Amino acid sequence: MTPQTHIRDHRPASKRRQPALAACLALILALCGCTRLQLSQFQRHAARGDHAWIAAQTVACREPSDGCSRLHLAKGDACLRLARMSREPAVNFACAADELETGLDLKPSWNTAGVELIYRENLCGSLESLHGYQSGKPAEQTVGRLSDAAKALYQLAPESLPAVYYLARARLMEIERMLPNINAATRVPVCLRLKRTVNRVLANMENAKGGAVSDWDRFAGDYQRLAFELGVAMQAAECR
């Protein structure tokens, strides 16, 4: 087959660009329309409590925009609700973590810090729960993701109960991986990290006893378990 001969376009460059620009604009408008349509569908199904339908949908957009972010956050919320109802928890906690993380990354700005706080806390909770279903390299990666998510939560709400809890939980997870191979060289830094973490956790628990700290009822059990597990880790590391 004879290849087609290239025919030079002698039109001005501005004229040659117009069809390409029009095509790009049409594509952008189509994508925006699809995002709005899918978001509307998500909202209808969420209002009916049909979280399984939302979780089963594919969210293809990846551009930083409010609409695209809301789609990923909505799917992440649906997956988290299913996981908390013990509906395929390993699968749905992974879905929640991925979608919430993507949605937060794509959000250009927030009108209310309170809404962002909820999503960031839910991301940390999803990653913490997901870690319980993992082992090996995936578990290690999840600890790193939890640490990053907890730091972002802490920047948004310094010294808050959720932020301190998830930072301490991520630190304990990191240390627990080191305990089987702890030796004289690593014991000192490990114990220093454990002691600082325990002190911070206990200080938050002490401050909360007076009832002045919001969210304590929601986090009381988590803090008590965490304090106990930190104590176990200190014994295993033979900290003095």
Side-chain angles (χ1 to χ4, degrees), residues 90-169:
V91 172
N92 281 309
F93 277 127
C95 164
D98 291 344
E99 295 296 328
L100 291 173
E101 197 170 56
T102 301
L104 286 162
D105 287 344
L106 295 177
K107 184 76 171 175
S109 61
W110 294 89
N111 295 327
T112 353
V115 177
E116 181 183 2
L117 189 66
I118 292 170
Y119 281 120
R120 291 204 177 277
E121 186 182 320
N122 284 343
L123 172 58
C124 289
S126 299
L127 289 165
E128 180 192 19
S129 298
L130 175 61
H131 182 265
Y133 295 92
Q134 296 176 318
S135 60
K137 191 67 175 176
E140 188 177 333
Q141 291 171 342
T142 296
V143 172
R145 292 170 69 189
L146 175 58
S147 180
D148 290 342
K151 288 172 185 174
L153 178 61
Y154 188 87
Q155 287 181 343
L156 189 63
E159 298 303 327
S160 66
L161 282 176
V164 171
Y165 171 79
Y166 286 118
L167 278 172
R169 173 59 71 185

Side-chain angles (χ1 to χ4, degrees), residues 174-239:
E174 292 168 351
I175 289 171
E176 284 174 335
R177 293 203 315 267
M178 302 169 65
L179 291 178
N181 301 312
I182 197 166
N183 54 43
T186 58
R187 180 170 285 106
V188 172
V190 163
C191 287
L192 284 174
R193 293 185 72 194
L194 278 170
K195 288 175 183 177
R196 283 198 298 266
T197 305
V198 167
N199 289 339
R200 198 171 191 183
V201 168
L202 293 178
N204 261 24
M205 293 176 72
E206 188 63 30
N207 291 337
K209 283 181 180 177
V213 179
S214 61
D215 278 345
W216 176 242
D217 289 342
R218 191 159 58 92
F219 273 90
D222 292 327
Y223 264 81
Q224 288 160 4
R225 281 189 295 273
L226 178 59
F228 174 78
E229 290 169 14
L230 285 165
V232 170
M234 289 182 70
Q235 287 183 335
E238 298 179 358
C239 298

